[in-house]
């Protein structure tokens, strides 16, 4: 917490500065009201008052920052929906994502299509849809556990010859927890043993009642393999997106989520970011928790170099100083100094939290860390 003065800290704690000064004196630290104290010292003061406020404050600050994008409703524009495909193993998630990708490819390209990043955007009826392509549950769970709701709509794939399975139920629960609407894709209807009605029957047990059965869950019969029903599924996605009324700010500094990140021997840190609102520019200073960096290069889902990325766009970027965590939120700092300052502060907080977790630590230990 570089630069927090005794006075500021007192205000944050809702205490008189003299009370804070008294606590500091108790630890042999002499500080005046307008004097700065470092993070560890400040956190000790907080603890004395029974407050572990740092982390909350930071999260709050991040939420506030994200909120600023949506404050002036008249400035907002429609943004494409972001979709996650979920379902039991072997029910056809990958096949569906492939089928969708191919509906959007000019025939000549079809053979040579390569997936560059863990998300892609397609155009259908002049509208865009972005699909997150990271392998199923783990990614989704990781993102959820970090509190980021990345997806707008979940497409639940259920094989018509297999029915509802454990991971189907898991997926339903994840989507429900996240408050994300579910569209059911009953897959493999080309198979001889396919029984879509049985799937619909089983889904009712989990609160998903198909529209043709008087419920409000959209179910589409598809064959990912034969590429049947794909257009209809995409239209249903657009329909649900319309109802969800998804908006973003068209010009502010970008905010969003890290989808995946890794260390590449040649390129350094490679991260796939999903812009939720605003615009990311080449050269921006991106900050993601305790990691930051200047965007050195930006690549879209087709491997093309781009200079800007707008709402609901996934891009791969180079430039983070370390590997950020999947599901972590990112924002764009005013300048490199601010970005570094924020990341370093986060690092200190995380270090302190890790110390706390690893058992009792003496004050001397804490002060020796500085
Ligand atoms: P995932 O584990 O959910 O990603 O499932 P995959 O997409 O890898 O599919 C598992 C298997 O089911 C593969 O052998 C696919 O070829 C097959 N499959 C997927 N969709 C269909 C379909 O619509 N019809 C048929 N007959 N097979 C399919
Ligand atoms: Mg798969």
């Amino acid at each position: 917490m570089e630069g927090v003065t005794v006075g500021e800290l007192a205000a944050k704690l809702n205490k008189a500065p003299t009370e804070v000064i008294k606590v500091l004196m108790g630890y042999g630290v002499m500080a005046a009201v307008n004097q700065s104290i470092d993070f560890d010292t400040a956190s000790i003061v907080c603890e004395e008052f029974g407050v572990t406020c740092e982390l909350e404050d930071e999260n709050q600050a991040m939420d506030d920052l994200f909120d600023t994008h949506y404050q002036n409703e008249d400035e907002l524009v429609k943004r494409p929906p972001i979709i996650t495909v979920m379902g039991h193993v072997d029910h056809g998630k990958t096949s569906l994502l492939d089928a969708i990708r191919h509906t959007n490819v000019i025939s000549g390209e079809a053979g040579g299509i390569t997936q560059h990043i863990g998300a892609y955007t397609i155009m259908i009826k002049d509208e865009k849809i972005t699909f997150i392509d990271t392998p199923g549950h783990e990614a989704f769970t990781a993102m959820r556990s970090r509190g980021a709701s990345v997806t707008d709509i979940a497409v639940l794939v259920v094989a018509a010859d297999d029915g509802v399975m454990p991971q189907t139920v898991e997926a339903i629960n994840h989507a429900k927890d996240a408050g994300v609407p579910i569209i059911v894709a009953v897959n493999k209807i080309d198979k001889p043993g396919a029984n879509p009605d049985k799937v619909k029957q089983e889904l009712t047990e989990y609160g998903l009642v198909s529209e043709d059965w008087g419920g409000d869950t959209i179910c589409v019969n598809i064959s990912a393999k034969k590429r049947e029903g794909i257009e209809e599924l995409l239209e249903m996605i657009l329909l649900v997106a319309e109802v969800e009324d998804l908006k973003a700010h068209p010009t502010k500094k970008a905010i969003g989520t890290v989808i995946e990140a890794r260390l590449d021997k040649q390129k350094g840190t490679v991260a796939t970011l999903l812009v939720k609102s605003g615009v990311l520019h080449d050269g921006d200073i991106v900050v993601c928790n305790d990691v930051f960096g200047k965007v050195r290069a930006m690549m879209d889902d087709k491997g093309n170099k781009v200079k800007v990325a707008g709402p609901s766009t996934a891009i791969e970027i180079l430039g983070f100083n370390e590997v950020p965590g999947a599901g972590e939120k990112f924002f764009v700092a005013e300048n490199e100094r601010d970005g570094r300052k924020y990341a370093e502060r986060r690092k200190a907080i995380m270090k302190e939290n890790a110390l706390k977790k690893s058992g009792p630590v003496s004050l001397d230990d804490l002060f020796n860390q500085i």
Side-chain angles (χ1 to χ4, degrees):
M1 206 183 285
E2 186 197 329
V4 73
T5 66
V6 171
E8 285 165 356
L9 181 62
K12 273 195 177 167
L13 287 166
N14 223 350
K15 300 282 172 195
T18 48
E19 287 183 80
V20 172
I21 291 171
K22 221 195 279 177
V23 170
L24 287 168
M25 278 170 69
Y27 289 109
V29 178
M30 300 297 166
V33 178
N34 52 11
Q35 213 165 323
S36 282
I37 52 173
D38 61 51
F39 162 71
D40 283 342
T41 311
S43 70
I44 288 160
V45 174
C46 290
E47 249 173 49
E48 281 284 327
F49 290 108
V51 182
T52 40
C53 63
E54 289 82 9
L55 197 57
E56 259 86 53
D57 276 352
E58 295 290 349
N59 286 339
Q60 190 56 50
M62 187 68 107
D63 286 348
D64 290 348
L65 174 71
F66 273 53
D67 285 346
T68 61
H69 273 249
Y70 308 107
Q71 271 162 2
N72 298 327
E73 254 185 61
D74 50 335
E75 289 176 15
L76 301 183
V77 294
K78 187 174 168 179
R79 70 167 173 84
I82 299 163
I83 314 296
T84 309
V85 173
M86 305 177 82
H88 196 72
V89 64
D90 281 346
H91 278 200
K93 299 177 293 294
T94 303
S95 304
L96 174 58
L97 283 162
D98 284 348
I100 291 168
R101 195 180 300 118
H102 280 86
T103 58
N104 206 231
V105 176
I106 317 147
S107 53
E109 261 178 17
I113 192 166
T114 35
Q115 178 79 31
H116 287 276
I117 60 178
Y120 63 88
T121 301
I122 62 152
M123 281 288 267
I124 173 128
K125 299 189 157 182
D126 294 330
E127 306 235 35
K128 287 179 177 172
I129 307 177
T130 294
F131 288 88
I132 296 184
D133 208 358
T134 43
H137 294 268
E138 300 80 16
F140 198 80
T141 317
M143 289 184 197
R144 282 285 305 143
S145 69
R146 287 186 171 91
S149 54
V150 183
T151 329
D152 300 308
I153 300 165
V155 170
L156 179 69
V157 179
V158 190
D161 62 337
D162 203 21
V164 172
M165 286 295 170
Q167 287 169 303
T168 316
V169 178
E170 235 173 73
I172 293 171
N173 291 335
H174 280 315
K176 279 188 176 167
D177 287 349
V180 170
I182 297 170
I183 296 176
V184 178
V186 182
N187 191 29
K188 306 198 187 185
I189 51 155
D190 60 288
K191 279 193 142 184
N195 189 350
D197 274 347
K198 186 165 162 276
V199 173
K200 286 180 189 172
Q201 171 65 47
E202 289 171 351
L203 285 171
T204 59
E205 285 174 41
Y206 302 93
L208 298 178
V209 182
S210 169
E211 279 186 317
D212 51 346
W213 289 18
D216 55 8
T217 300
I218 296 174
C219 292
V220 185
N221 288 346
I222 64 160
S223 166
K225 193 175 182 179
K226 300 227 154 132
R227 309 224 163 115
E228 283 167 18
I230 307 298
E231 293 266 334
E232 193 191 342
L233 177 64
L234 296 176
E235 279 167 28
M236 289 304 142
I237 290 172
L238 287 177
L239 198 75
V240 175
E242 196 67 43
V243 175
E244 293 290 300
D245 194 27
L246 308 165
K247 294 277 171 72
H249 199 283
T251 52
K252 285 193 170 169
K253 288 184 166 55
I255 52 168
T257 315
V258 177
I259 297 184
E260 57 190 7
R262 65 193 155 82
L263 197 60
D264 182 281
K265 268 188 199 148
Q266 269 89 45
K267 299 182 200 162
T269 303
V270 183
T272 303
L273 305 184
L274 183 62
V275 177
K276 202 75 193 260
S277 179
V279 180
L280 187 66
H281 299 265
D282 197 5
D284 275 352
I285 304 297
V286 279
V287 187
C288 181
N289 198 14
D290 61 331
V291 170
F292 81 104
K294 189 190 179 99
V295 178
R296 279 197 282 119
M298 217 153 78
M299 222 168 59
D300 69 10
D301 52 357
K302 295 179 183 67
N304 302 317
K305 276 206 161 186
V306 290
K307 292 279 174 207
V308 292
S312 298
T313 312
I315 39 8
E316 188 177 271
I317 69 149
L318 304 181
F320 272 119
N321 64 338
E322 286 172 44
V323 181
E328 214 81 74
K329 286 176 179 174
F330 78 85
F331 69 94
V332 172
E334 281 298 325
N335 52 52
E336 190 152 353
R337 208 181 118 257
D338 284 2
R340 181 189 303 276
K341 207 163 129 184
Y342 183 93
E344 281 174 0
R345 197 164 66 212
R346 289 295 307 160
K347 198 160 244 158
I349 291 170
M350 287 168 71
K351 194 166 155 190
E352 195 230 12
N353 286 343
L355 280 174
K356 269 189 200 155
K357 270 188 208 139
S358 66
V361 187
S362 73
L363 274 177
D364 280 341
D365 287 342
L366 276 179
F367 280 110
N368 288 337
Q369 298 275 338
I370 303 163

